[in-house]
Amino acid sequence: MAEQLDLAGQESDGASDEVVLTPAELIDRLEQAWMNEKFAPELLESKSEIVECVIEQLDHMEENLKKASKGDLKVSIHRMETGRIRYVLSSYLRCRLGKIEKFFPHVLEKEKTRSDGEPSSLSPEEFAFAKEYMANTETYLKNVALKHMPPNLQKVDLLRSVPKPDLDSYVFLRVNERQENLLVEPETDEQRDYVIDLEEGSQHLIRYKTIAPLVASGAVQLI
């Protein structure tokens, strides 16, 4: 478990760097992505590189456990750890699939309109799933309901029909990197915009869209 793993990272300008992580750091990255995905109201950037590396690491750990002595206490501990990691991984992927099913028209629209160099919210497999899910939904609606309606009502705009992620919802967060002069929107029209500083290690309850870029950059962690 002491070996290092290469993780292909992407900077915001589209340049590619290699980040070398230990297995412990890799699992920590997975858990951070899992927590953010659980508590963010929208589908976040795909972490497919982390997922692939974790799967490879789990396979490697399973191979090592097969070679170990069955009576060794360390084997039981490591099996518990691999089970915990698999739970986190499957929960992370289930959470993402749930958001895709819930917001599929908006997820696909965001993917279609994103600029070059902007990180994708979907892995290739998730993109294929979202397209198939949308096609199946449209076919179902057409065969079950729309074909029985007048011709002028036989079309449905899924972007309008399916609710968007609620970016105005509030989230709890912990600050990883100090932030200065963060603009906070007013609660009512009578109030004015104001700025706050977020101290490292502090915890806050803030409107999600205010700190969405900080979640993406890792400056804050949702909790």
PDB file of all heavy atoms in Angstrom, residues 97-106 108 128-147 154-159 161-163:
ATOM      1  N   LEU A  97     -25.615   9.083 -10.587  1.00  0.00           N
ATOM      2  CA  LEU A  97     -26.642   8.555 -11.481  1.00  0.00           C
ATOM      3  C   LEU A  97     -28.029   9.070 -11.088  1.00  0.00           C
ATOM      4  O   LEU A  97     -28.864   9.360 -11.949  1.00  0.00           O
ATOM      5  CB  LEU A  97     -26.630   7.023 -11.462  1.00  0.00           C
ATOM      6  CG  LEU A  97     -25.464   6.356 -12.188  1.00  0.00           C
ATOM      7  CD1 LEU A  97     -25.537   4.843 -12.044  1.00  0.00           C
ATOM      8  CD2 LEU A  97     -25.442   6.736 -13.664  1.00  0.00           C
ATOM      9  N   GLY A  98     -28.268   9.201  -9.783  1.00  0.00           N
ATOM     10  CA  GLY A  98     -29.546   9.730  -9.320  1.00  0.00           C
ATOM     11  C   GLY A  98     -29.761  11.160  -9.790  1.00  0.00           C
ATOM     12  O   GLY A  98     -30.867  11.536 -10.193  1.00  0.00           O
ATOM     13  N   LYS A  99     -28.711  11.971  -9.759  1.00  0.00           N
ATOM     14  CA  LYS A  99     -28.825  13.351 -10.234  1.00  0.00           C
ATOM     15  C   LYS A  99     -29.034  13.394 -11.743  1.00  0.00           C
ATOM     16  O   LYS A  99     -29.791  14.240 -12.252  1.00  0.00           O
ATOM     17  CB  LYS A  99     -27.580  14.150  -9.848  1.00  0.00           C
ATOM     18  CG  LYS A  99     -27.468  14.461  -8.369  1.00  0.00           C
ATOM     19  CD  LYS A  99     -26.246  15.320  -8.098  1.00  0.00           C
ATOM     20  CE  LYS A  99     -26.104  15.634  -6.628  1.00  0.00           C
ATOM     21  NZ  LYS A  99     -24.919  16.468  -6.336  1.00  0.00           N
ATOM     22  N   ILE A 100     -28.355  12.513 -12.464  1.00  0.00           N
ATOM     23  CA  ILE A 100     -28.537  12.469 -13.914  1.00  0.00           C
ATOM     24  C   ILE A 100     -29.982  12.123 -14.258  1.00  0.00           C
ATOM     25  O   ILE A 100     -30.602  12.749 -15.129  1.00  0.00           O
ATOM     26  CB  ILE A 100     -27.570  11.459 -14.556  1.00  0.00           C
ATOM     27  CG1 ILE A 100     -26.128  11.950 -14.407  1.00  0.00           C
ATOM     28  CG2 ILE A 100     -27.900  11.242 -16.034  1.00  0.00           C
ATOM     29  CD1 ILE A 100     -25.083  10.936 -14.821  1.00  0.00           C
ATOM     30  N   GLU A 101     -30.556  11.142 -13.565  1.00  0.00           N
ATOM     31  CA  GLU A 101     -31.944  10.765 -13.810  1.00  0.00           C
ATOM     32  C   GLU A 101     -32.907  11.898 -13.445  1.00  0.00           C
ATOM     33  O   GLU A 101     -33.922  12.098 -14.109  1.00  0.00           O
ATOM     34  CB  GLU A 101     -32.291   9.511 -13.012  1.00  0.00           C
ATOM     35  CG  GLU A 101     -31.569   8.261 -13.499  1.00  0.00           C
ATOM     36  CD  GLU A 101     -31.871   7.062 -12.632  1.00  0.00           C
ATOM     37  OE1 GLU A 101     -32.486   7.239 -11.558  1.00  0.00           O
ATOM     38  OE2 GLU A 101     -31.489   5.938 -13.015  1.00  0.00           O
ATOM     39  N   LYS A 102     -32.586  12.630 -12.411  1.00  0.00           N
ATOM     40  CA  LYS A 102     -33.465  13.697 -11.931  1.00  0.00           C
ATOM     41  C   LYS A 102     -33.399  14.944 -12.802  1.00  0.00           C
ATOM     42  O   LYS A 102     -34.415  15.614 -13.032  1.00  0.00           O
ATOM     43  CB  LYS A 102     -33.106  14.040 -10.486  1.00  0.00           C
ATOM     44  CG  LYS A 102     -34.058  15.010  -9.812  1.00  0.00           C
ATOM     45  CD  LYS A 102     -33.688  15.196  -8.352  1.00  0.00           C
ATOM     46  CE  LYS A 102     -34.671  16.118  -7.637  1.00  0.00           C
ATOM     47  NZ  LYS A 102     -34.308  16.299  -6.204  1.00  0.00           N
ATOM     48  N   PHE A 103     -32.198  15.253 -13.305  1.00  0.00           N
ATOM     49  CA  PHE A 103     -31.993  16.521 -14.025  1.00  0.00           C
ATOM     50  C   PHE A 103     -31.495  16.310 -15.458  1.00  0.00           C
ATOM     51  O   PHE A 103     -30.853  17.191 -16.023  1.00  0.00           O
ATOM     52  CB  PHE A 103     -30.974  17.388 -13.270  1.00  0.00           C
ATOM     53  CG  PHE A 103     -31.316  17.672 -11.836  1.00  0.00           C
ATOM     54  CD1 PHE A 103     -30.462  17.298 -10.812  1.00  0.00           C
ATOM     55  CD2 PHE A 103     -32.497  18.315 -11.503  1.00  0.00           C
ATOM     56  CE1 PHE A 103     -30.768  17.563  -9.480  1.00  0.00           C
ATOM     57  CE2 PHE A 103     -32.810  18.586 -10.173  1.00  0.00           C
ATOM     58  CZ  PHE A 103     -31.949  18.213  -9.167  1.00  0.00           C
ATOM     59  N   PHE A 104     -31.790  15.164 -16.061  1.00  0.00           N
ATOM     60  CA  PHE A 104     -31.143  14.782 -17.317  1.00  0.00           C
ATOM     61  C   PHE A 104     -31.197  15.824 -18.432  1.00  0.00           C
ATOM     62  O   PHE A 104     -30.192  16.021 -19.133  1.00  0.00           O
ATOM     63  CB  PHE A 104     -31.676  13.427 -17.807  1.00  0.00           C
ATOM     64  CG  PHE A 104     -33.142  13.400 -18.134  1.00  0.00           C
ATOM     65  CD1 PHE A 104     -33.592  13.570 -19.432  1.00  0.00           C
ATOM     66  CD2 PHE A 104     -34.075  13.167 -17.129  1.00  0.00           C
ATOM     67  CE1 PHE A 104     -34.939  13.536 -19.734  1.00  0.00           C
ATOM     68  CE2 PHE A 104     -35.420  13.137 -17.422  1.00  0.00           C
ATOM     69  CZ  PHE A 104     -35.869  13.327 -18.727  1.00  0.00           C
ATOM     70  N   PRO A 105     -32.312  16.548 -18.671  1.00  0.00           N
ATOM     71  CA  PRO A 105     -32.283  17.527 -19.764  1.00  0.00           C
ATOM     72  C   PRO A 105     -31.286  18.659 -19.497  1.00  0.00           C
ATOM     73  O   PRO A 105     -30.588  19.106 -20.407  1.00  0.00           O
ATOM     74  CB  PRO A 105     -33.718  18.057 -19.823  1.00  0.00           C
ATOM     75  CG  PRO A 105     -34.528  17.110 -19.026  1.00  0.00           C
ATOM     76  CD  PRO A 105     -33.617  16.549 -17.998  1.00  0.00           C
ATOM     77  N   HIS A 106     -31.217  19.095 -18.249  1.00  0.00           N
ATOM     78  CA  HIS A 106     -30.336  20.198 -17.895  1.00  0.00           C
ATOM     79  C   HIS A 106     -28.873  19.748 -17.887  1.00  0.00           C
ATOM     80  O   HIS A 106     -27.980  20.529 -18.261  1.00  0.00           O
ATOM     81  CB  HIS A 106     -30.729  20.754 -16.530  1.00  0.00           C
ATOM     82  CG  HIS A 106     -32.180  21.099 -16.431  1.00  0.00           C
ATOM     83  ND1 HIS A 106     -32.728  22.196 -17.065  1.00  0.00           N
ATOM     84  CD2 HIS A 106     -33.219  20.473 -15.802  1.00  0.00           C
ATOM     85  CE1 HIS A 106     -34.026  22.238 -16.817  1.00  0.00           C
ATOM     86  NE2 HIS A 106     -34.347  21.206 -16.059  1.00  0.00           N
ATOM     87  N   LEU A 108     -27.590  17.410 -19.839  1.00  0.00           N
ATOM     88  CA  LEU A 108     -27.181  17.302 -21.242  1.00  0.00           C
ATOM     89  C   LEU A 108     -27.049  18.671 -21.892  1.00  0.00           C
ATOM     90  O   LEU A 108     -26.158  18.894 -22.724  1.00  0.00           O
ATOM     91  CB  LEU A 108     -28.189  16.448 -22.013  1.00  0.00           C
ATOM     92  CG  LEU A 108     -28.142  14.948 -21.694  1.00  0.00           C
ATOM     93  CD1 LEU A 108     -29.313  14.218 -22.349  1.00  0.00           C
ATOM     94  CD2 LEU A 108     -26.824  14.338 -22.164  1.00  0.00           C
ATOM     95  N   ALA A 128     -23.295   8.691 -22.118  1.00  0.00           N
ATOM     96  CA  ALA A 128     -24.070   7.705 -22.876  1.00  0.00           C
ATOM     97  C   ALA A 128     -25.348   7.332 -22.126  1.00  0.00           C
ATOM     98  O   ALA A 128     -26.423   7.194 -22.724  1.00  0.00           O
ATOM     99  CB  ALA A 128     -23.221   6.464 -23.141  1.00  0.00           C
ATOM    100  N   PHE A 129     -25.238   7.172 -20.799  1.00  0.00           N
ATOM    101  CA  PHE A 129     -26.412   6.845 -19.989  1.00  0.00           C
ATOM    102  C   PHE A 129     -27.447   7.962 -20.043  1.00  0.00           C
ATOM    103  O   PHE A 129     -28.644   7.699 -20.187  1.00  0.00           O
ATOM    104  CB  PHE A 129     -25.985   6.596 -18.543  1.00  0.00           C
ATOM    105  CG  PHE A 129     -27.128   6.440 -17.580  1.00  0.00           C
ATOM    106  CD1 PHE A 129     -27.815   5.242 -17.494  1.00  0.00           C
ATOM    107  CD2 PHE A 129     -27.529   7.495 -16.768  1.00  0.00           C
ATOM    108  CE1 PHE A 129     -28.884   5.093 -16.608  1.00  0.00           C
ATOM    109  CE2 PHE A 129     -28.585   7.365 -15.887  1.00  0.00           C
ATOM    110  CZ  PHE A 129     -29.268   6.153 -15.808  1.00  0.00           C
ATOM    111  N   ALA A 130     -26.982   9.221 -19.926  1.00  0.00           N
ATOM    112  CA  ALA A 130     -27.909  10.359 -19.936  1.00  0.00           C
ATOM    113  C   ALA A 130     -28.632  10.467 -21.267  1.00  0.00           C
ATOM    114  O   ALA A 130     -29.847  10.726 -21.310  1.00  0.00           O
ATOM    115  CB  ALA A 130     -27.148  11.650 -19.647  1.00  0.00           C
ATOM    116  N   LYS A 131     -27.924  10.266 -22.371  1.00  0.00           N
ATOM    117  CA  LYS A 131     -28.565  10.331 -23.690  1.00  0.00           C
ATOM    118  C   LYS A 131     -29.591   9.213 -23.857  1.00  0.00           C
ATOM    119  O   LYS A 131     -30.691   9.443 -24.375  1.00  0.00           O
ATOM    120  CB  LYS A 131     -27.511  10.245 -24.792  1.00  0.00           C
ATOM    121  CG  LYS A 131     -26.642  11.477 -24.939  1.00  0.00           C
ATOM    122  CD  LYS A 131     -25.934  11.509 -26.274  1.00  0.00           C
ATOM    123  CE  LYS A 131     -25.040  10.320 -26.467  1.00  0.00           C
ATOM    124  NZ  LYS A 131     -24.313  10.391 -27.770  1.00  0.00           N
ATOM    125  N   GLU A 132     -29.238   8.015 -23.417  1.00  0.00           N
ATOM    126  CA  GLU A 132     -30.178   6.884 -23.527  1.00  0.00           C
ATOM    127  C   GLU A 132     -31.383   7.103 -22.623  1.00  0.00           C
ATOM    128  O   GLU A 132     -32.520   6.802 -23.008  1.00  0.00           O
ATOM    129  CB  GLU A 132     -29.466   5.588 -23.160  1.00  0.00           C
ATOM    130  CG  GLU A 132     -30.345   4.350 -23.320  1.00  0.00           C
ATOM    131  CD  GLU A 132     -29.615   3.066 -23.001  1.00  0.00           C
ATOM    132  OE1 GLU A 132     -28.415   3.129 -22.654  1.00  0.00           O
ATOM    133  OE2 GLU A 132     -30.239   1.990 -23.092  1.00  0.00           O
ATOM    134  N   TYR A 133     -31.151   7.638 -21.438  1.00  0.00           N
ATOM    135  CA  TYR A 133     -32.255   7.891 -20.505  1.00  0.00           C
ATOM    136  C   TYR A 133     -33.214   8.919 -21.091  1.00  0.00           C
ATOM    137  O   TYR A 133     -34.441   8.758 -21.001  1.00  0.00           O
ATOM    138  CB  TYR A 133     -31.699   8.394 -19.176  1.00  0.00           C
ATOM    139  CG  TYR A 133     -32.711   8.462 -18.067  1.00  0.00           C
ATOM    140  CD1 TYR A 133     -32.973   7.343 -17.275  1.00  0.00           C
ATOM    141  CD2 TYR A 133     -33.410   9.640 -17.800  1.00  0.00           C
ATOM    142  CE1 TYR A 133     -33.908   7.402 -16.253  1.00  0.00           C
ATOM    143  CE2 TYR A 133     -34.344   9.699 -16.785  1.00  0.00           C
ATOM    144  CZ  TYR A 133     -34.586   8.581 -16.017  1.00  0.00           C
ATOM    145  OH  TYR A 133     -35.527   8.646 -15.012  1.00  0.00           O
ATOM    146  N   MET A 134     -32.688   9.960 -21.722  1.00  0.00           N
ATOM    147  CA  MET A 134     -33.535  10.983 -22.326  1.00  0.00           C
ATOM    148  C   MET A 134     -34.325  10.407 -23.502  1.00  0.00           C
ATOM    149  O   MET A 134     -35.528  10.674 -23.650  1.00  0.00           O
ATOM    150  CB  MET A 134     -32.689  12.160 -22.782  1.00  0.00           C
ATOM    151  CG  MET A 134     -33.510  13.333 -23.311  1.00  0.00           C
ATOM    152  SD  MET A 134     -32.527  14.840 -23.440  1.00  0.00           S
ATOM    153  CE  MET A 134     -33.781  16.029 -23.916  1.00  0.00           C
ATOM    154  N   ALA A 135     -33.656   9.618 -24.340  1.00  0.00           N
ATOM    155  CA  ALA A 135     -34.338   9.005 -25.481  1.00  0.00           C
ATOM    156  C   ALA A 135     -35.454   8.074 -25.015  1.00  0.00           C
ATOM    157  O   ALA A 135     -36.560   8.076 -25.574  1.00  0.00           O
ATOM    158  CB  ALA A 135     -33.340   8.243 -26.341  1.00  0.00           C
ATOM    159  N   ASN A 136     -35.189   7.284 -23.981  1.00  0.00           N
ATOM    160  CA  ASN A 136     -36.207   6.372 -23.458  1.00  0.00           C
ATOM    161  C   ASN A 136     -37.374   7.135 -22.841  1.00  0.00           C
ATOM    162  O   ASN A 136     -38.539   6.717 -22.964  1.00  0.00           O
ATOM    163  CB  ASN A 136     -35.587   5.440 -22.419  1.00  0.00           C
ATOM    164  CG  ASN A 136     -34.635   4.437 -23.027  1.00  0.00           C
ATOM    165  OD1 ASN A 136     -34.683   4.172 -24.227  1.00  0.00           O
ATOM    166  ND2 ASN A 136     -33.763   3.866 -22.213  1.00  0.00           N
ATOM    167  N   THR A 137     -37.073   8.241 -22.157  1.00  0.00           N
ATOM    168  CA  THR A 137     -38.139   9.057 -21.572  1.00  0.00           C
ATOM    169  C   THR A 137     -39.029   9.652 -22.646  1.00  0.00           C
ATOM    170  O   THR A 137     -40.263   9.634 -22.535  1.00  0.00           O
ATOM    171  CB  THR A 137     -37.533  10.179 -20.707  1.00  0.00           C
ATOM    172  OG1 THR A 137     -36.737   9.612 -19.660  1.00  0.00           O
ATOM    173  CG2 THR A 137     -38.630  11.034 -20.080  1.00  0.00           C
ATOM    174  N   GLU A 138     -38.415  10.175 -23.700  1.00  0.00           N
ATOM    175  CA  GLU A 138     -39.194  10.764 -24.795  1.00  0.00           C
ATOM    176  C   GLU A 138     -40.047   9.707 -25.480  1.00  0.00           C
ATOM    177  O   GLU A 138     -41.217   9.952 -25.815  1.00  0.00           O
ATOM    178  CB  GLU A 138     -38.246  11.433 -25.797  1.00  0.00           C
ATOM    179  CG  GLU A 138     -37.583  12.694 -25.255  1.00  0.00           C
ATOM    180  CD  GLU A 138     -36.550  13.257 -26.219  1.00  0.00           C
ATOM    181  OE1 GLU A 138     -36.001  12.464 -27.028  1.00  0.00           O
ATOM    182  OE2 GLU A 138     -36.287  14.474 -26.161  1.00  0.00           O
ATOM    183  N   THR A 139     -39.497   8.513 -25.697  1.00  0.00           N
ATOM    184  CA  THR A 139     -40.259   7.422 -26.318  1.00  0.00           C
ATOM    185  C   THR A 139     -41.424   7.004 -25.443  1.00  0.00           C
ATOM    186  O   THR A 139     -42.545   6.788 -25.929  1.00  0.00           O
ATOM    187  CB  THR A 139     -39.334   6.218 -26.575  1.00  0.00           C
ATOM    188  OG1 THR A 139     -38.278   6.615 -27.448  1.00  0.00           O
ATOM    189  CG2 THR A 139     -40.107   5.074 -27.211  1.00  0.00           C
ATOM    190  N   TYR A 140     -41.182   6.906 -24.144  1.00  0.00           N
ATOM    191  CA  TYR A 140     -42.243   6.511 -23.208  1.00  0.00           C
ATOM    192  C   TYR A 140     -43.376   7.532 -23.206  1.00  0.00           C
ATOM    193  O   TYR A 140     -44.558   7.167 -23.279  1.00  0.00           O
ATOM    194  CB  TYR A 140     -41.658   6.365 -21.806  1.00  0.00           C
ATOM    195  CG  TYR A 140     -42.684   6.031 -20.748  1.00  0.00           C
ATOM    196  CD1 TYR A 140     -43.138   4.728 -20.582  1.00  0.00           C
ATOM    197  CD2 TYR A 140     -43.200   7.021 -19.913  1.00  0.00           C
ATOM    198  CE1 TYR A 140     -44.078   4.415 -19.616  1.00  0.00           C
ATOM    199  CE2 TYR A 140     -44.145   6.723 -18.945  1.00  0.00           C
ATOM    200  CZ  TYR A 140     -44.575   5.413 -18.805  1.00  0.00           C
ATOM    201  OH  TYR A 140     -45.517   5.119 -17.855  1.00  0.00           O
ATOM    202  N   LEU A 141     -43.018   8.810 -23.124  1.00  0.00           N
ATOM    203  CA  LEU A 141     -44.042   9.855 -23.116  1.00  0.00           C
ATOM    204  C   LEU A 141     -44.846   9.848 -24.409  1.00  0.00           C
ATOM    205  O   LEU A 141     -46.078  10.005 -24.399  1.00  0.00           O
ATOM    206  CB  LEU A 141     -43.388  11.226 -22.922  1.00  0.00           C
ATOM    207  CG  LEU A 141     -42.813  11.517 -21.533  1.00  0.00           C
ATOM    208  CD1 LEU A 141     -42.066  12.840 -21.539  1.00  0.00           C
ATOM    209  CD2 LEU A 141     -43.910  11.541 -20.483  1.00  0.00           C
ATOM    210  N   LYS A 142     -44.178   9.634 -25.525  1.00  0.00           N
ATOM    211  CA  LYS A 142     -44.862   9.621 -26.818  1.00  0.00           C
ATOM    212  C   LYS A 142     -45.823   8.453 -26.918  1.00  0.00           C
ATOM    213  O   LYS A 142     -46.979   8.608 -27.365  1.00  0.00           O
ATOM    214  CB  LYS A 142     -43.825   9.553 -27.945  1.00  0.00           C
ATOM    215  CG  LYS A 142     -44.428   9.558 -29.335  1.00  0.00           C
ATOM    216  CD  LYS A 142     -43.346   9.527 -30.398  1.00  0.00           C
ATOM    217  CE  LYS A 142     -43.967   9.503 -31.796  1.00  0.00           C
ATOM    218  NZ  LYS A 142     -42.916   9.464 -32.846  1.00  0.00           N
ATOM    219  N   ASN A 143     -45.383   7.266 -26.510  1.00  0.00           N
ATOM    220  CA  ASN A 143     -46.212   6.066 -26.662  1.00  0.00           C
ATOM    221  C   ASN A 143     -47.344   5.993 -25.652  1.00  0.00           C
ATOM    222  O   ASN A 143     -48.413   5.446 -25.937  1.00  0.00           O
ATOM    223  CB  ASN A 143     -45.338   4.815 -26.537  1.00  0.00           C
ATOM    224  CG  ASN A 143     -44.370   4.666 -27.683  1.00  0.00           C
ATOM    225  OD1 ASN A 143     -44.582   5.213 -28.766  1.00  0.00           O
ATOM    226  ND2 ASN A 143     -43.286   3.928 -27.463  1.00  0.00           N
ATOM    227  N   VAL A 144     -47.129   6.541 -24.463  1.00  0.00           N
ATOM    228  CA  VAL A 144     -48.130   6.404 -23.401  1.00  0.00           C
ATOM    229  C   VAL A 144     -49.116   7.565 -23.362  1.00  0.00           C
ATOM    230  O   VAL A 144     -50.312   7.371 -23.125  1.00  0.00           O
ATOM    231  CB  VAL A 144     -47.422   6.264 -22.031  1.00  0.00           C
ATOM    232  CG1 VAL A 144     -48.428   6.290 -20.884  1.00  0.00           C
ATOM    233  CG2 VAL A 144     -46.620   4.978 -21.989  1.00  0.00           C
ATOM    234  N   ALA A 145     -48.645   8.776 -23.625  1.00  0.00           N
ATOM    235  CA  ALA A 145     -49.510   9.940 -23.425  1.00  0.00           C
ATOM    236  C   ALA A 145     -49.655  10.833 -24.646  1.00  0.00           C
ATOM    237  O   ALA A 145     -50.761  11.145 -25.077  1.00  0.00           O
ATOM    238  CB  ALA A 145     -48.981  10.764 -22.240  1.00  0.00           C
ATOM    239  N   LEU A 146     -48.540  11.250 -25.231  1.00  0.00           N
ATOM    240  CA  LEU A 146     -48.590  12.299 -26.240  1.00  0.00           C
ATOM    241  C   LEU A 146     -49.356  11.896 -27.497  1.00  0.00           C
ATOM    242  O   LEU A 146     -50.034  12.735 -28.110  1.00  0.00           O
ATOM    243  CB  LEU A 146     -47.159  12.724 -26.617  1.00  0.00           C
ATOM    244  CG  LEU A 146     -46.342  13.354 -25.492  1.00  0.00           C
ATOM    245  CD1 LEU A 146     -44.959  13.726 -25.990  1.00  0.00           C
ATOM    246  CD2 LEU A 146     -47.048  14.586 -24.938  1.00  0.00           C
ATOM    247  N   LYS A 147     -49.281  10.637 -27.888  1.00  0.00           N
ATOM    248  CA  LYS A 147     -49.959  10.229 -29.124  1.00  0.00           C
ATOM    249  C   LYS A 147     -51.480  10.270 -28.992  1.00  0.00           C
ATOM    250  O   LYS A 147     -52.198  10.243 -29.995  1.00  0.00           O
ATOM    251  CB  LYS A 147     -49.506   8.836 -29.537  1.00  0.00           C
ATOM    252  CG  LYS A 147     -49.979   7.698 -28.641  1.00  0.00           C
ATOM    253  CD  LYS A 147     -49.505   6.357 -29.180  1.00  0.00           C
ATOM    254  CE  LYS A 147     -50.019   5.191 -28.338  1.00  0.00           C
ATOM    255  NZ  LYS A 147     -49.561   3.888 -28.891  1.00  0.00           N
ATOM    256  N   GLN A 154     -48.585  17.464 -28.964  1.00  0.00           N
ATOM    257  CA  GLN A 154     -47.836  16.205 -28.980  1.00  0.00           C
ATOM    258  C   GLN A 154     -46.325  16.403 -28.844  1.00  0.00           C
ATOM    259  O   GLN A 154     -45.556  15.481 -29.080  1.00  0.00           O
ATOM    260  CB  GLN A 154     -48.150  15.424 -30.255  1.00  0.00           C
ATOM    261  CG  GLN A 154     -49.562  14.841 -30.269  1.00  0.00           C
ATOM    262  CD  GLN A 154     -49.801  13.919 -31.448  1.00  0.00           C
ATOM    263  OE1 GLN A 154     -48.920  13.687 -32.250  1.00  0.00           O
ATOM    264  NE2 GLN A 154     -51.002  13.379 -31.533  1.00  0.00           N
ATOM    265  N   LYS A 155     -45.917  17.587 -28.463  1.00  0.00           N
ATOM    266  CA  LYS A 155     -44.514  17.837 -28.192  1.00  0.00           C
ATOM    267  C   LYS A 155     -44.352  18.338 -26.760  1.00  0.00           C
ATOM    268  O   LYS A 155     -45.213  19.054 -26.251  1.00  0.00           O
ATOM    269  CB  LYS A 155     -43.937  18.867 -29.166  1.00  0.00           C
ATOM    270  CG  LYS A 155     -43.803  18.352 -30.597  1.00  0.00           C
ATOM    271  CD  LYS A 155     -43.120  19.379 -31.479  1.00  0.00           C
ATOM    272  CE  LYS A 155     -42.957  18.854 -32.900  1.00  0.00           C
ATOM    273  NZ  LYS A 155     -42.261  19.840 -33.777  1.00  0.00           N
ATOM    274  N   VAL A 156     -43.279  17.933 -26.149  1.00  0.00           N
ATOM    275  CA  VAL A 156     -43.023  18.365 -24.777  1.00  0.00           C
ATOM    276  C   VAL A 156     -41.588  18.880 -24.685  1.00  0.00           C
ATOM    277  O   VAL A 156     -40.659  18.275 -25.238  1.00  0.00           O
ATOM    278  CB  VAL A 156     -43.252  17.205 -23.775  1.00  0.00           C
ATOM    279  CG1 VAL A 156     -42.342  16.020 -24.068  1.00  0.00           C
ATOM    280  CG2 VAL A 156     -43.070  17.685 -22.350  1.00  0.00           C
ATOM    281  N   ASP A 157     -41.427  20.019 -24.026  1.00  0.00           N
ATOM    282  CA  ASP A 157     -40.110  20.601 -23.811  1.00  0.00           C
ATOM    283  C   ASP A 157     -39.599  20.114 -22.453  1.00  0.00           C
ATOM    284  O   ASP A 157     -40.010  20.619 -21.407  1.00  0.00           O
ATOM    285  CB  ASP A 157     -40.201  22.130 -23.839  1.00  0.00           C
ATOM    286  CG  ASP A 157     -38.830  22.794 -23.756  1.00  0.00           C
ATOM    287  OD1 ASP A 157     -37.846  22.083 -23.483  1.00  0.00           O
ATOM    288  OD2 ASP A 157     -38.750  24.022 -23.958  1.00  0.00           O
ATOM    289  N   LEU A 158     -38.702  19.135 -22.499  1.00  0.00           N
ATOM    290  CA  LEU A 158     -38.221  18.553 -21.248  1.00  0.00           C
ATOM    291  C   LEU A 158     -37.418  19.548 -20.417  1.00  0.00           C
ATOM    292  O   LEU A 158     -37.401  19.463 -19.187  1.00  0.00           O
ATOM    293  CB  LEU A 158     -37.378  17.308 -21.542  1.00  0.00           C
ATOM    294  CG  LEU A 158     -38.158  16.108 -22.084  1.00  0.00           C
ATOM    295  CD1 LEU A 158     -37.212  14.978 -22.459  1.00  0.00           C
ATOM    296  CD2 LEU A 158     -39.168  15.618 -21.054  1.00  0.00           C
ATOM    297  N   LEU A 159     -36.761  20.503 -21.062  1.00  0.00           N
ATOM    298  CA  LEU A 159     -36.012  21.508 -20.301  1.00  0.00           C
ATOM    299  C   LEU A 159     -36.938  22.337 -19.416  1.00  0.00           C
ATOM    300  O   LEU A 159     -36.565  22.756 -18.321  1.00  0.00           O
ATOM    301  CB  LEU A 159     -35.241  22.427 -21.249  1.00  0.00           C
ATOM    302  CG  LEU A 159     -33.878  21.926 -21.733  1.00  0.00           C
ATOM    303  CD1 LEU A 159     -33.318  22.852 -22.801  1.00  0.00           C
ATOM    304  CD2 LEU A 159     -32.901  21.783 -20.584  1.00  0.00           C
ATOM    305  N   SER A 161     -40.091  21.165 -18.552  1.00  0.00           N
ATOM    306  CA  SER A 161     -40.925  20.245 -17.766  1.00  0.00           C
ATOM    307  C   SER A 161     -40.186  19.659 -16.570  1.00  0.00           C
ATOM    308  O   SER A 161     -40.791  19.375 -15.539  1.00  0.00           O
ATOM    309  CB  SER A 161     -41.431  19.113 -18.666  1.00  0.00           C
ATOM    310  OG  SER A 161     -42.145  19.621 -19.774  1.00  0.00           O
ATOM    311  N   VAL A 162     -38.887  19.447 -16.716  1.00  0.00           N
ATOM    312  CA  VAL A 162     -38.106  18.824 -15.638  1.00  0.00           C
ATOM    313  C   VAL A 162     -37.476  19.927 -14.789  1.00  0.00           C
ATOM    314  O   VAL A 162     -36.815  20.822 -15.322  1.00  0.00           O
ATOM    315  CB  VAL A 162     -37.005  17.918 -16.219  1.00  0.00           C
ATOM    316  CG1 VAL A 162     -36.134  17.362 -15.106  1.00  0.00           C
ATOM    317  CG2 VAL A 162     -37.632  16.791 -17.032  1.00  0.00           C
ATOM    318  N   PRO A 163     -37.670  19.905 -13.472  1.00  0.00           N
ATOM    319  CA  PRO A 163     -37.116  20.962 -12.604  1.00  0.00           C
ATOM    320  C   PRO A 163     -35.593  21.037 -12.689  1.00  0.00           C
ATOM    321  O   PRO A 163     -34.907  20.030 -12.863  1.00  0.00           O
ATOM    322  CB  PRO A 163     -37.562  20.530 -11.198  1.00  0.00           C
ATOM    323  CG  PRO A 163     -38.709  19.608 -11.421  1.00  0.00           C
ATOM    324  CD  PRO A 163     -38.457  18.920 -12.720  1.00  0.00           C
TER     325      PRO A 163
END
